[in-house]
Amino acid sequence: MYKEIDLDNYKYIYEEINKEIEDIFNYYNIVMDNIDNTIYMSPSNYLIARNISFIYSAIRYAKRSIDYWYKLIENKRKIRVVTVHNNLSLEHYLKNDKPYLISWDKSKIDMPIYDLINLYHNHYLEFDFTELLDIYFSKYPLTKEELILFLTIISLPKKIEYNKSEYKTVLNIRRQLDYIYKTSELVKKYKCKVLRV
């Protein structure tokens, strides 16, 4: 279903994602400044320093992608909306005679990509998301604009969760890097599809 929207709605999405991109970029700049000012790198700092170009690459992709998305939609007056679960994860999926989702207390009307984003953030390491998304898109294809926004949002790195334990901090960084590497492979595949559309 499509609903009429004010052009400010798209502008709001664009500005919020841009703020997040800038915040993440500034965060990693500060992290790198702190690393550069240390004499001996800890294992966690070494892991970040060794992979920072890949982190910055993901941030740059998100920036280019959101700018492209906004150019495509800035004058459109309609947005596709569905009922989204808004907390999609395997914990809410039950399979009996028929599969169904539980815990709809956070559901709302919004763009269809938001359930996919939640599912990806919650389970990116547990599935081959290329296969899962191919199946999903064969039944419920996203528009070009929706796919671009989906790829933009999932590609944005998160901040590192530092811990008092160096070991746990290294694990957190490794998880973040795994997320970035896996997401970049997914983005490569679907970015080609976006450019062909």
Side-chain angles (χ1 to χ4, degrees):
M1 153 174 96
Y2 284 83
K3 83 171 186 181
E4 196 85 16
I5 61 156
D6 190 301
L7 291 177
D8 285 343
N9 286 25
Y10 285 130
K11 189 176 181 187
Y12 176 77
I13 293 169
Y14 175 71
E15 287 173 350
E16 287 300 301
I17 292 175
N18 261 317
K19 273 189 224 164
E20 190 176 351
I21 290 168
E22 189 176 339
D23 183 48
I24 293 290
F25 179 72
N26 291 336
Y27 168 80
Y28 279 104
N29 279 341
I30 291 167
V31 166
M32 284 309 297
D33 284 345
N34 290 338
I35 290 172
D36 288 342
N37 290 325
T38 58
I39 296 170
Y40 299 107
M41 277 195 224
S42 65
S44 60
N45 284 346
Y46 178 74
L47 194 53
I48 292 172
R50 193 153 177 222
N51 291 280
I52 196 64
S53 63
F54 201 69
I55 294 168
Y56 282 143
S57 178
I59 296 168
R60 282 192 305 273
Y61 166 76
K63 176 61 180 146
R64 285 191 313 271
S65 185
I66 197 62
D67 288 344
Y68 179 53
W69 173 80
Y70 191 61
K71 281 180 188 167
L72 289 175
I73 56 84
E74 66 182 329
N75 293 315
K76 292 194 175 182
R77 290 262 187 207
K78 289 189 176 182
I79 191 169
R80 186 166 71 142
V81 293
V82 295
T83 302
V84 292
H85 186 276
N86 203 31
N87 193 18
L88 196 56
S89 71
L90 288 182
E91 289 80 37
H92 299 136
Y93 175 79
L94 295 180
K95 189 162 182 162
N96 205 345
D97 294 337
K98 292 182 178 181
Y100 59 96
L101 289 171
I102 60 169
S103 299
W104 284 85
D105 50 315
K106 294 183 179 177
S107 67
K108 63 180 184 173
I109 303 295
D110 211 333
M111 287 189 281
I113 62 166
Y114 289 114
D115 271 344
L116 292 174
I117 291 166
N118 279 332
L119 187 65
Y120 188 77
H121 283 157
N122 290 330
H123 302 289
Y124 66 94
L125 283 178
E126 299 164 51
F127 294 117
D128 175 358
F129 263 84
T130 302
E131 188 177 321
L132 190 139
L133 289 174
D134 281 345
I135 293 167
Y136 180 89
F137 294 159
S138 71
K139 296 177 192 252
Y140 310 103
L142 295 181
T143 65
K144 179 177 181 175
E145 294 85 359
E146 289 166 345
L147 183 55
I148 292 167
L149 188 57
F150 169 72
L151 295 175
T152 301
I153 292 171
I154 66 166
S155 68
L156 194 57
K158 303 287 182 231
K159 294 178 180 177
I160 301 297
E161 289 179 33
Y162 283 92
N163 194 289
K164 288 179 183 175
S165 159
E166 178 67 10
Y167 174 75
K168 287 184 180 175
T169 299
V170 168
L171 286 180
N172 290 339
I173 294 167
R174 185 71 256 165
R175 263 194 297 277
Q176 179 59 257
L177 293 172
D178 288 345
Y179 177 88
I180 294 169
Y181 283 107
K182 182 161 186 173
T183 305
S184 74
E185 291 303 308
L186 188 71
V187 165
K188 276 182 206 166
K189 176 183 177 180
Y190 288 104
K191 191 165 71 168
C192 292
K193 288 187 175 192
V194 166
L195 295 173
R196 280 192 304 240
V197 174

